[in-house]
Amino acid sequence: MSPDDDTAAAAQLPPLQLLHQDERLAVVNKPAGLMVHDSKLARGEDDFLADRLREQLGRQIFLVHRLDRATSGCLLLAFDRETASALGKSLMGGEVQKDYLTVCRGWPAEESWQVDHDLDGGPGKPVKKPAVTDFQRLATGELAVPSGEFSTSRYALLRCQPQTGRFRQIRRHLKHLSHHMIGDTSHGDGRHNRIFRMQGVHRMLLHAERLRFPHPDGSTLDVRAPVDAAFQKALDLFGWDVPPGGLQSPP
């Protein structure tokens, strides 16, 4: 495919939703299933969020952080190296606070809790480092599908705040708790994933709902991303509404 063909194909795609934009930075609502940038995980793909944004905005962009391909929601980027560096320092300093929504199997016993469980860096990076995630249970529900000795299958809606940035941290911490994330084909529970696919939900249920961070101009930005139709379909199975919630500061 020629560069002209690539440009024509990109023009046919719907524009990415910008949740905030100013002269120095933007927050985009990343769609689930779209890779952020080219990498070893791309497997020959040629459609990346970074390329789409450059074409859509007609300017250079600098990604401040990453989201997994299957994750949707708030993604922060800068338009110049100085701003990218300032935001990167805020991220490393724990000043960028993140809220995620997810659905897990089972009903966690506590309304709020913290997981402090070291994780390695992923394939080829065996050294374990500290990994901390805060969780809140927002709602519980059941589906009329037998699960083991039980006549129904139980699920919970969670809000999560990772306090560190390890490889697939939320997904792996939920596996550690045996409250596997729904739709996670790498660290989840295949039987429960199939139950949701039977209900018409075919995505991993992890959404970067909210970012709060210091703008280099001295103000503070607080940005939210609405869930997509597939995530909303999962919520509607249980009649769940996402309650408003504040971000927790790192301990």
Side-chain angles (χ1 to χ4, degrees):
M1 182 179 288
S2 70
D4 289 342
D5 291 334
D6 287 339
T7 301
Q12 296 174 4
L13 295 169
L16 295 165
Q17 181 186 19
L18 293 171
L19 304 166
H20 172 85
Q21 181 181 5
D22 58 47
E23 283 303 309
R24 300 188 67 177
L25 59 86
V27 180
V28 62
N29 189 4
K30 175 195 168 298
L34 178 64
M35 290 201 71
V36 171
H37 61 96
D38 198 358
S39 74
K40 294 180 180 179
L41 301 176
R43 296 195 295 269
E45 297 178 32
D46 58 5
D47 183 20
F48 304 103
L49 177 140
D51 294 339
R52 281 205 210 173
L53 276 177
R54 291 187 190 100
E55 181 68 26
Q56 179 175 326
L57 299 175
R59 62 191 304 184
Q60 191 174 24
I61 66 168
F62 299 85
L63 297 167
V64 177
H65 67 118
R66 308 289 190 269
L67 292 176
D68 292 342
R69 179 208 307 260
T71 306
S72 59
C74 293
L75 184 72
L76 177 60
L77 57 102
F79 294 132
D80 60 79
R81 293 186 185 277
E82 181 182 359
T83 300
S85 176
L87 293 172
K89 290 177 181 177
S90 294
L91 186 68
M92 295 298 293
E95 299 176 276
V96 179
Q97 300 176 51
K98 307 173 186 176
D99 266 10
Y100 289 78
L101 292 174
T102 191
V103 177
C104 74
R105 64 175 291 270
W107 291 356
E110 299 176 292
E111 290 189 2
S112 62
W113 69 98
Q114 185 178 85
V115 174
D116 186 346
H117 175 69
D118 293 359
L119 296 172
D120 61 37
K125 299 178 180 179
V127 177
K128 290 190 174 183
K129 296 182 179 181
V132 178
T133 310
D134 293 326
F135 292 93
Q136 299 91 46
R137 190 190 68 213
L138 303 181
T140 58
E142 297 177 271
L143 293 178
V145 179
S147 178
E149 62 188 52
F150 303 102
S151 59
T152 63
S153 296
R154 291 183 169 186
Y155 302 97
L157 175 65
L158 308 179
R159 181 172 278 128
C160 329
Q161 293 96 19
Q163 307 299 345
T164 50
R166 308 303 173 212
F167 177 72
R168 296 178 178 175
Q169 179 172 313
I170 296 173
R171 300 159 65 176
R172 296 165 75 193
H173 272 172
L174 286 174
K175 179 182 180 181
H176 174 68
L177 296 174
S178 294
H179 286 296
H180 304 80
M181 183 182 297
I182 299 304
D184 183 354
T185 58
S186 299
H187 311 284
D189 184 305
R191 185 168 59 85
H192 289 278
N193 291 346
R194 287 192 294 274
I195 289 173
F196 273 74
R197 287 198 295 270
M198 290 170 58
Q199 307 296 322
V201 178
H202 298 276
R203 61 157 293 185
M204 186 178 76
L205 296 177
L206 182 61
H207 177 68
E209 173 196 25
R210 189 177 181 191
L211 277 179
R212 186 175 187 274
F213 59 95
H215 194 288
D217 68 7
S219 64
T220 297
L221 285 178
D222 193 341
V223 184
R224 290 178 179 269
V227 299
D228 63 14
F231 204 114
Q232 186 62 51
K233 187 170 187 176
L235 299 178
D236 291 343
L237 291 174
F238 305 95
W240 287 339
D241 291 319
V242 178
L247 290 140
Q248 295 185 348
S249 298

